Amino acid sequence: MNATVNHTPRGPETDGGTMQMVSDETTKVISEIVLYGLTPLIGIIGITGNTFSIIVLRKHGLHKCSNILLVSLAFMDTVYLTCYNNIPYLFYFLQGGGKFLYSKIVSEILYVLYFICLVADYTCCLGALCIPMLITIERLVAVYIPLKFGQIITPFRTWAAVIIILVFWLSCMIYTCFWYKFEYVFDHSLNRSVGLVSKSQLYYHDLPAIPIFEEHLFSMKIPPLVTVIGCSAIIVKVKVASRERSKMTSSSSKQASTSRTTKTLLAVSFAFLFTCTMVALPGHLPEEFSSYSLTTENPNNVGIIIYQFVNILVMMNGSWNFLVYVVMNKNFRDTFNEIITQKCSHRR
């Protein structure tokens, strides 16, 4: 998951010390297609779907802990998809080639906005990647300890877990912002002053710890591991329960509702695990072919391209949950159809 959390300012620079298998011009064209076309399109689709998800889930009520988790996931995905399309970032890297080509005051404003979007982007992205772990834990309690579920998993505790995750990642990302500083210097090649995002003294002070920070924190190994183990245990329990369901006719309606919820949440978790698997694959490539990490000063062109497409996968992960709900959950589908029908009737 390193590629999804590369906090180094990203741009079409090259590193002369590594092998370049793709030209600078091709890299720039691909980056422009991705950043000007694909990511805004995925963002619009995802934000629309997540907005509908929040409306439907709120209509179902936030007294259910599963709905709280899904609403939180939709909210984080919406913020992530919005802030990933970071306009100051486009000005800096694609328009300016790694510089703010504006007056000092405008460049400073863009610098601040750039890091505000970056913090919100990564905070909600990493937070959203932790929600499937909470969903898995919630379902484990629901299927293994159903009689004590209401005592263990409460709305208050669910909201608290979500807030703790957000505060944790927000604190981490705000701290990493102090690794950078704004400089307004004269560029002899352009014969004018430009704004630059430079490394601060804190960055060089923390440099020995950054690889550890990246490997054990930003690699996001724990949420997928917990989700895999938890989903496996849930599937085993559901299979066993399905064999006994015919003997429990008195509670068939309640079990059907629980089964629908479990299947929906498992589908969300499996979509998350698919994304984690695909995102982790580039990390196994030799570094000289695709180098990108927190400490990469100038990632090579293959690394830049892979990084862009890895982010497309993460954006898709934040966009397709609405489709999962519609396909997997009849109650969600019926409520959504009801809302659309009411809107159309009202408009007519």
Side-chain angles (χ1 to χ4, degrees):
M1 294 296 290
N2 289 348
T4 63
V5 294
N6 186 336
H7 197 46
T8 303
R10 304 157 293 186
E13 303 96 341
T14 60
D15 184 354
T18 58
M19 183 180 299
Q20 292 295 343
M21 301 176 64
V22 182
S23 67
D24 292 354
E25 185 61 30
T26 301
T27 302
K28 184 176 180 181
V29 170
I30 293 175
S31 297
E32 288 177 345
I33 292 173
V34 171
L35 295 172
Y36 288 149
L38 286 178
T39 53
L41 177 61
I42 296 172
I44 292 171
I45 295 172
I47 291 168
T48 303
N50 286 322
T51 301
F52 279 125
S53 297
I54 292 173
I55 293 172
V56 173
L57 292 167
R58 286 194 62 186
K59 193 176 181 70
H60 285 175
L62 297 183
H63 58 281
K64 291 182 63 176
C65 297
S66 57
N67 286 351
I68 293 174
L69 293 174
L70 294 181
V71 165
S72 300
L73 179 61
F75 171 77
M76 292 182 198
D77 283 336
T78 299
V79 175
Y80 162 65
L81 293 170
T82 302
C83 293
Y84 182 83
N85 294 284
N86 190 335
I87 294 177
Y89 161 73
L90 301 179
F91 287 161
Y92 187 79
F93 287 113
L94 293 185
Q95 295 294 332
K99 306 175 182 71
F100 285 124
L101 304 177
Y102 309 99
S103 66
K104 184 176 181 180
I105 183 66
V106 173
S107 296
E108 286 179 337
I109 293 172
L110 290 174
Y111 171 83
V112 172
L113 292 176
Y114 169 79
F115 276 97
I116 288 175
C117 290
L118 203 65
V119 168
D121 168 3
Y122 284 119
T123 297
C124 289
C125 176
L126 294 168
L129 293 176
C130 291
I131 295 297
M133 177 179 65
L134 298 184
I135 290 174
T136 303
I137 295 171
E138 189 263 357
R139 281 298 93 188
L140 280 170
V141 177
V143 300
Y144 277 94
I145 323 175
L147 298 180
K148 295 185 177 181
F149 177 81
Q151 301 174 8
I152 300 173
I153 307 295
T154 65
F156 175 80
R157 291 175 180 174
T158 305
W159 281 119
V162 171
I163 292 171
I164 288 171
I165 286 175
L166 275 178
V167 170
F168 172 77
W169 287 119
L170 180 62
S171 302
C172 291
M173 298 316 302
I174 289 177
Y175 181 81
T176 60
C177 286
F178 291 101
W179 287 345
Y180 304 93
K181 64 181 180 179
F182 175 80
E183 290 184 331
Y184 198 69
V185 299
F186 187 81
D187 189 315
H188 292 281
S189 63
L190 299 176
N191 196 30
R192 58 169 297 177
S193 295
V194 297
L196 296 177
V197 179
S198 303
K199 300 291 174 57
S200 68
Q201 288 298 322
L202 180 62
Y203 174 84
Y204 295 105
H205 178 270
D206 291 348
L207 192 57
I210 289 177
I212 301 174
F213 189 71
E214 179 186 59
E215 176 66 22
H216 297 288
L217 186 62
F218 282 167
S219 59
M220 292 293 290
K221 294 178 180 177
I222 295 177
L225 181 62
V226 172
T227 304
V228 167
I229 296 173
C231 287
S232 301
I234 291 169
I235 291 172
V236 170
K237 181 64 175 179
V238 169
K239 291 290 186 182
V240 173
S242 64
R243 296 176 183 176
E244 302 175 354
R245 187 169 299 166
S246 58
K247 304 176 184 179
M248 304 174 64
T249 55
S250 61
S251 59
S252 60
S253 176
K254 182 177 179 180
Q255 285 189 352
S257 176
T258 303
S259 177
R260 283 196 300 268
T261 303
T262 300
K263 289 178 180 178
T264 302
L265 297 177
L266 281 175
V268 172
S269 298
F270 284 138
F272 160 72
L273 292 174
F274 169 78
T275 302
C276 289
T277 302
M278 297 303 295
V279 168
L281 292 178
H284 297 284
L285 295 175
E287 186 173 349
E288 62 269 19
F289 290 99
S290 58
S291 172
Y292 52 87
S293 70
L294 280 171
T295 55
T296 301
E297 291 283 349
N298 294 308
N300 61 49
N301 290 338
V302 175
I304 293 171
I305 294 171
I306 291 176
Y307 177 77
Q308 298 292 357
F309 283 97
V310 161
N311 278 289
I312 288 177
L313 282 174
V314 178
M315 291 189 72
M316 290 176 64
N317 181 68
S319 303
W320 60 35
N321 285 332
F322 171 74
L323 181 62
V324 171
Y325 306 151
V326 170
V327 173
M328 298 297 299
N329 195 302
K330 185 178 183 299
N331 288 342
F332 186 97
R333 186 165 59 248
D334 291 343
T335 304
F336 176 69
N337 290 333
E338 178 186 338
I339 292 172
I340 297 299
T341 302
Q342 289 177 351
K343 292 291 184 181
C344 294
S345 300
H346 179 70
R347 181 169 296 181
R348 285 198 296 268

